[in-house]
């Protein structure tokens, strides 16, 4: 089921997250001094979080890998300015956010060649849902895509990536109370949509 993840995903990771964040920040500081092993640990530790974040900010699957790579290239080029005042995770996700914004600005400045994306993406968008074997993770991703951008970002940062609300506010450049409000509204919308989907789901055939 998807619904429990809306309320418990962050709690499950909470006990281990702070020591892990401290380790990642230590690796970033060591990488700043030129330690190649620390660079490797730093990239491996946060690669999944960065890719998930840029994807849920609206990057299509084809560009998510490029934006993830661009984020780490920018970060490694800026490590000499990282002083550890915030966690390395928060610092890196701020860079990822700027990379996505820059990508969107660049794309919007270029002329569109067609009214739709490539034929494969267009076909995927009209595929029926609720079929046997439909993955819950994909269903959640599609529901998140339906949220307003600011609520989706707040929910992904706090509930999926696992940032504390204060750090998520730093990444999003808004007050922490705004992040809490956005997450609460996103959670309410997601639960309502999931309830609606379950009510509309076909009943299994009688044996």
């Amino acid at each position: 089921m998807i619904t429990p993840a809306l309320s418990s995903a962050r709690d499950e990771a909470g006990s281990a997250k702070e020591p892990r964040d401290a380790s990642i920040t230590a690796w970033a500081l060591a990488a700043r001094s030129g330690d190649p092993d620390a660079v490797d640990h730093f990239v491996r530790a946060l690669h999944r979080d960065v890719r998930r974040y840029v994807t849920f900010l609206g990057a299509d699957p084809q560009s998510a890998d490029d934006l993830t790579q661009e984020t780490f290239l920018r970060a490694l080029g800026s490590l000499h300015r990282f002083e550890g005042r915030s966690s390395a995770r928060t610092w890196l996700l701020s860079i990822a956010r700027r990379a996505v914004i820059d990508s969107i600005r660049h794309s919007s400045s270029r002329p569109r060649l067609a009214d739709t994306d490539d034929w494969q993406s267009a076909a995927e968008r009209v595929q029926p849902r609720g079929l046997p074997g439909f993955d819950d993770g994909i269903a959640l991703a599609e529901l998140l895509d339906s949220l307003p951008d600011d609520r989706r970002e707040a929910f992904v940062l706090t509930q999926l990536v696992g940032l504390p609300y204060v750090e998520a506010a730093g990444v999003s450049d808004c007050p922490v109370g705004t992040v809490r409000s956005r997450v609460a509204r996103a959670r309410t919308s997601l639960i309502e949509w999931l309830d609606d989907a379950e009510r509309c789901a076909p009943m299994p055939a009688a044996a």
Side-chain angles (χ1 to χ4, degrees):
M1 296 296 292
I2 304 173
T3 307
L6 304 183
S7 58
S8 63
R10 185 168 178 270
D11 295 336
E12 292 174 357
S15 59
K17 182 167 59 60
E18 289 186 5
R20 180 170 179 263
D21 276 353
S23 296
I24 293 171
T25 299
W27 288 329
L29 292 171
R32 185 184 63 177
S33 302
D35 184 339
D37 289 335
V39 172
D40 183 65
H41 285 307
F42 172 67
V43 173
R44 288 177 181 271
L46 291 178
H47 187 275
R48 181 181 178 185
D49 284 350
V50 170
R51 194 186 189 286
R52 178 182 292 177
Y53 181 49
V54 299
T55 298
F56 282 115
L57 280 184
D60 62 81
Q62 293 180 349
S63 65
D65 288 333
D66 291 338
L67 283 168
T68 301
Q69 182 177 10
E70 173 66 16
T71 296
F72 281 104
L73 287 174
R74 292 187 184 193
L76 294 176
S78 302
L79 270 176
H80 62 283
R81 294 198 294 269
F82 178 65
E83 299 179 353
R85 295 178 181 176
S86 63
S87 73
R89 184 197 303 267
T90 300
W91 175 74
L92 186 63
L93 291 177
S94 296
I95 294 175
R97 189 173 194 264
R98 288 195 294 271
V100 172
I101 292 172
D102 289 345
S103 175
I104 292 172
R105 286 175 176 168
H106 176 70
S107 296
S108 65
S109 68
R110 300 171 62 186
R112 293 181 61 87
L113 300 180
D115 292 333
T116 63
D117 299 326
D118 61 273
W119 65 268
Q120 184 176 5
S121 296
E124 289 173 351
R125 284 195 293 271
V126 298
Q127 290 299 308
R129 297 298 180 243
L131 299 178
F134 184 56
D135 184 74
D136 281 350
I138 298 175
L140 179 57
E142 293 188 347
L143 290 176
L144 286 170
D145 284 343
S146 301
L147 292 170
D149 291 347
D150 54 354
R151 296 182 193 176
R152 181 173 65 246
E153 180 185 27
F155 186 88
V156 169
L157 283 173
T158 59
Q159 309 303 305
L160 299 183
V161 176
L163 283 187
Y165 283 94
V166 172
E167 294 188 16
V171 172
S172 303
D173 192 25
C174 67
V176 65
T178 300
V179 172
R180 293 185 184 278
S181 175
R182 290 172 179 174
V183 171
R185 293 180 179 182
R187 184 183 290 114
T188 297
S189 296
L190 291 171
I191 291 174
E192 288 177 353
W193 293 337
L194 288 169
D195 287 344
D196 289 344
E198 289 179 356
R199 284 195 295 268
C200 295
M203 296 296 291

